[in-house]
Amino acid sequence: MQDRDAVLEALRGQRVELPSWAFGNSGTRFKVFTQPGVPRTPFEKAEDAAQVHKYTGVAPSMAVHIPWDKVDDYEALAAHAKRNGISIGTVNANVFQDDDYKLGSVCHPDPKVRQKALKHLLECVDVMDATGSRDLKLWFADGTNYPGQDDISARQNRLAQALRAVYERLGADQRMLLEYKLFEPSFYTTDVPDWGTSLLHCVALGDKAQVVVDTGHHAPGVNIEFIVAVLLRAKRLGGFDFNSRFYADDDLMVGAADPFQLFRILHEVVKADALGAAGGVAFMLDQCHNIEPKIPAQIRSVMNVQEATAKALLVDLDALREAQSAGDVLGANAVLMDAYNTDVRPLLADLRQEMGLAPDPYRAYLGSGYAEKIIAERVGGTAAGWGA
Ligand code: LRH
Ligand code: MN
């Protein structure tokens, strides 16, 4: 049995970053459903994110997405977040929602369009300077829909050129996280479709360039924890965009569709001693709550990460390694399953009480009256959304 205090210490130090866009209205190409009380500004999004931290104690930062979270004064936004007990975290660039980007952004055949996209990426580093953020996260929708539409290698050269320019702009303590995605919105090639392509670009750039693993961005059946183990071994795992899916990039609550996969992923993280801040892995949620209430869904998601992490921390690594080196297949599998089948909810309830929090953050929030308050207050104005 793993040392209880060590497990609690690791859980107390866990950090899960929340996506500002999870608090706004979101949906699919078929419909974006609106909800009452949704924030109208990045300031209100920060207030909602602070509620998740208030009840979980392990979500002290909110990632922003530019221009969805564009404000006149980013220092003021960071100060407002601070007043609410959180900080502004990862800055996400957005070069996928402008008509000019139909054929791509930094990979576009037209140098004028590439220049426009690069300008936005560099402006996002200016935002990081203002908010004190460490990480710039880059996801490119760039790709093609038909064979022959453009040259695959030429697009890679254009991408490398833009990434180099951004890399040179980064400050000493800043990083760029390159996210890959198999497909959508492009349906023939995607210019950063998999971990290998992202890793190649990161290695070509330097140590400040790391790979982001979005758990919804793989082909069905891909063993994500294998990718995680390989990137950790190469010291190139910069972060996760946690969510879950049954089919494609569904962006459902992390752990909802496949809690066992989330456990296997966090087992690799714990085993590599990369759970804490020193591990350099940014644990972010990237989700859209199309039909469910957003703040409770974020709280439930953080709890799902905590539960999978607690189970991973309970794996008896000595017994596992002993069984593995003895070739004891079933014995080794049983060590992992024992941890996975452990009900860790009482342990987490105790942890929260030790942290001065309610044992069940989800119930505590529902009973707080905050949802009713924001529905009453947030009348008028334009509810935040993807603006797709
Ligand atoms: C792309 C993605 C990316 C974000 C967006 C909100 O699918 O995962 O991380 O920019 O979702
Ligand atoms: Mn993502």
Side-chain angles (χ1 to χ4, degrees):
M1 179 59 174
Q2 297 312 90
D3 171 51
R4 182 184 168 84
D5 292 345
V7 169
L8 289 172
E9 182 58 29
L11 290 168
R12 196 177 293 111
Q14 183 160 39
R15 295 289 173 267
V16 179
E17 183 161 286
L18 309 177
S20 67
W21 53 98
F23 299 102
N25 286 323
S26 60
T28 70
R29 57 184 161 175
F30 301 106
K31 173 68 177 165
V32 171
F33 296 101
T34 60
Q35 294 186 21
V38 156
R40 285 86 46 100
T41 68
F43 294 84
E44 290 181 344
K45 291 177 188 176
E47 292 160 17
D48 292 359
Q51 287 292 304
V52 178
H53 185 50
K54 176 178 177 183
Y55 292 99
T56 64
V58 294
S61 63
M62 178 183 81
V64 291
H65 217 296
I66 311 298
W68 297 340
D69 298 311
K70 185 172 179 43
V71 293
D72 302 336
D73 184 343
Y74 286 101
E75 275 97 357
L77 177 62
H80 184 70
K82 196 156 189 286
R83 271 193 302 278
N84 285 273
I86 63 170
S87 65
I88 299 299
T90 306
V91 172
N92 288 262
N94 180 335
V95 285
F96 54 86
Q97 282 187 316
D98 186 303
D99 283 339
D100 288 342
Y101 298 145
K102 186 172 69 174
L103 302 179
S105 63
V106 294
C107 302
H108 196 290
D110 181 343
K112 286 194 301 304
V113 175
R114 299 201 295 268
Q115 200 45 46
K116 174 180 176 175
L118 178 56
K119 182 170 174 294
H120 170 73
L121 304 183
L122 297 173
E123 284 164 0
C124 286
V125 184
D126 300 339
V127 172
M128 293 162 69
D129 294 343
T131 56
S133 301
R134 174 191 65 180
D135 293 340
L136 171 70
K137 182 149 79 70
L138 300 177
W139 170 69
F140 297 104
D142 291 43
T144 63
N145 276 0
Y146 297 98
Q149 174 185 332
D150 199 350
D151 185 88
I152 294 170
S153 301
R155 293 177 72 94
Q156 289 299 308
N157 296 337
R158 298 163 196 160
L159 173 63
Q161 207 180 0
L163 292 175
R164 170 58 59 192
V166 177
Y167 192 86
E168 301 304 333
R169 166 69 181 80
L170 291 175
D173 306 327
Q174 295 175 330
R175 305 187 306 173
M176 65 170 20
L177 308 181
L178 184 57
E179 183 176 356
Y180 60 87
K181 180 175 180 179
L182 181 65
F183 80 105
E184 189 209 35
S186 301
F187 296 106
Y188 170 55
T189 67
T190 292
D191 295 299
V192 188
D194 54 29
W195 66 278
T197 307
S198 175
L199 183 61
L200 276 176
H201 283 287
C202 290
V203 169
L205 291 161
D207 294 345
K208 292 191 286 188
Q210 302 270 326
V211 179
V212 168
V213 174
D214 183 313
T215 44
H217 287 187
H218 305 82
V222 166
N223 186 321
I224 299 176
E225 61 269 24
F226 178 90
I227 298 170
V228 169
V230 167
L231 290 173
L232 282 166
R233 184 170 170 276
K235 302 206 173 328
R236 288 285 176 168
L237 179 65
F240 286 101
D241 266 6
F242 276 145
N243 49 59
S244 69
R245 52 85 172 273
F246 290 103
Y247 303 103
D249 192 17
D250 308 354
D251 282 339
L252 299 173
M253 289 191 298
V254 60
D258 190 345
F260 186 40
Q261 180 189 61
L262 181 61
F263 161 76
R264 299 193 312 266
I265 288 171
L266 286 161
H267 169 58
E268 292 303 329
V269 170
V270 167
K271 198 155 49 70
D273 196 17
L275 187 65
V281 178
F283 298 92
M284 302 168 279
L285 300 182
D286 179 4
Q287 300 173 177
C288 297
H289 305 301
N290 301 344
I291 59 174
E292 68 268 31
K294 300 165 190 298
I295 297 171
Q298 286 283 294
I299 292 174
R300 180 68 256 177
S301 301
V302 172
M303 294 167 71
N304 287 356
V305 173
Q306 288 184 297
E307 288 171 19
T309 305
K311 291 174 185 241
L313 287 163
L314 291 176
V315 173
D316 184 338
L317 293 176
D318 297 339
L320 181 65
R321 293 200 180 97
E322 203 178 308
Q324 288 170 339
S325 49
D328 178 1
V329 175
L330 295 178
N333 177 253
V335 170
L336 221 61
M337 296 316 290
D338 286 350
Y340 180 66
N341 294 323
T342 303
D343 183 355
V344 293
R345 293 172 293 183
L347 176 83
L348 286 165
D350 294 349
L351 170 76
R352 294 179 185 121
Q353 274 166 319
E354 282 174 21
M355 293 168 75
L357 303 170
D360 182 339
Y362 180 79
R363 298 235 155 282
Y365 170 78
L366 292 184
S368 71
Y370 184 83
E372 294 77 6
K373 181 171 88 70
I374 56 177
I375 289 171
E377 287 174 0
R378 294 177 181 172
V379 178
T382 307
W386 271 33

